[in-house]
Structure formats: structure tokens, C-alpha cells
Amino acid sequence: MSAARSPNAERALFTISFAESSFFPLPPDLMLGPMAAAEPKKWVRYAIICTIASVLGGLLGYAIGMFLMDQVGRHILNFFGYSGDRELELRAFYDQYGAWFIFLKGLTPIPYKLVTILSGALHFSLPIFILASAVTRGLRFGLVAYVFQRFGPQIAPIMEKRMGLVLVVVAIVIVAAVLALRFMPH
């Protein structure tokens, strides 16, 4: 919680949110939540920072898909378990649902970088991609920040005392999810 109050917290939130949209495996929610709990009056500001950074990072993911799919994009998709038939299924779903795919994946904890990279690889409309990303990521981060600013101050003392345990559990859940996505039968 003290890190969430540090002078560099907003820059770190921006950086993590930017990177998560194109290549970084950890979601910015892990930082956004504690920041909104530590400084409840700034929850809207934090959600906006997260959203702007995520959309800008999404543009990097889009560029990776459009210009570096074989060199970089494919490796990122493979890391998250979306190679071969799973990638083809994702592409087919994207072809069928387009912008709805962005909305659906942008609101869920499914790695958003899959959406950004595939959007570029499939040359999806850039203006629609930006608009859909801004709306869906704004809703997600706004909801996370609101919940933590609303309920976080009550649980903040528990979080501070058990932060090490909380981070270990979150890391295990994320690693398990990535492994499950990677090795799950199609």
C-alpha cells in the first residue's frame, strides 16, 4: 500500500498498463486496485491513466500484429497458448464478431494483448479498434478502481499485513491460468 502512495506510482501504473496491452503478462489491476484503495479520491484519475496507457499499448500490440506478426506476435500468442488450431479458432471468432470480440476480451481478464495483436494481424479498422479499446478498457478499469476505492479502505489494513501472501496467491493464479491456456486441449 505504501508503494501505491509513492510519487512514482502513477508512472508505474501507466507503464504496466501500456506494456500489458501488447506483451507484458501481468494485468495493471494488480496495481490499480491498491492505488485506488490507498487514495480513494483519485480513483477516477487512476482509471483514466490506466485506460489511456492501455489504449496506447494496444496500438503497439496492433503494430506488432500488423508489421511483426511472424517475428514477434506469433511468439507472444504462443506464450499464452494460442498457437496452431487455437490461433485459428481465435481468428475465426474475431472474423465473425469483429468489434464485439474487442469488447468481450477487453472486459475480461483474458490477456488483452491477444486482441491487440490479432487486430493488427487481421488489419481490423484502426478507428473502430481504438474506440472499442477505449470504451472496454475504460469500463474495466473504472469498475476495478471504483470497487477498490469503495471497499478497499475497509480491507486495506488486512491487505497491508498480508500483501506478501496476496501477491504470491495472485502470481500463482496468473501462472496457473497461463499454463492452463497453454496446455488446455482444444
Side-chain angles (χ1 to χ4, degrees), residues 111-182:
Y112 193 59
K113 62 207 67 36
L114 302 176
V115 172
T116 66
I117 292 168
L118 276 179
S119 294
L122 297 173
H123 300 271
F124 190 75
S125 166
L126 186 58
I128 293 173
F129 170 78
I130 293 169
L131 179 63
S133 294
V135 169
T136 191
R137 301 306 269 181
L139 286 172
R140 175 180 167 173
F141 297 135
L143 180 62
V144 168
Y146 173 78
V147 166
F148 272 85
Q149 72 84 27
R150 177 73 176 91
F151 301 106
Q154 292 94 323
I155 62 170
I158 297 166
M159 286 174 56
E160 284 190 77
K161 287 181 183 175
R162 305 273 187 241
M163 188 57 78
L165 177 61
V166 169
L167 291 176
V168 167
V169 169
V170 169
I172 289 170
V173 168
I174 290 170
V175 169
V178 168
L179 291 174
L181 286 172
R182 185 175 191 135

Side-chain angles (χ1 to χ4, degrees), residues 18 21-22 55-73 76 113 115-124 126 129:
F18 178 90
S21 292
S22 49
V55 172
L56 292 174
L59 290 172
L60 175 60
Y62 188 98
I64 288 170
M66 182 172 275
F67 302 113
L68 301 170
M69 186 60 184
D70 291 331
Q71 300 88 338
V72 179
I76 295 170
K113 62 207 67 36
V115 172
T116 66
I117 292 168
L118 276 179
S119 294
L122 297 173
H123 300 271
F124 190 75
L126 186 58
F129 170 78

Side-chain angles (χ1 to χ4, degrees), residues 71-90:
Q71 300 88 338
V72 179
R74 183 121 11 256
H75 298 292
I76 295 170
L77 293 178
N78 288 343
F79 178 80
F80 287 96
Y82 285 89
S83 58
D85 289 342
R86 290 205 67 200
E87 180 186 342
L88 293 176
E89 290 169 13
L90 204 57

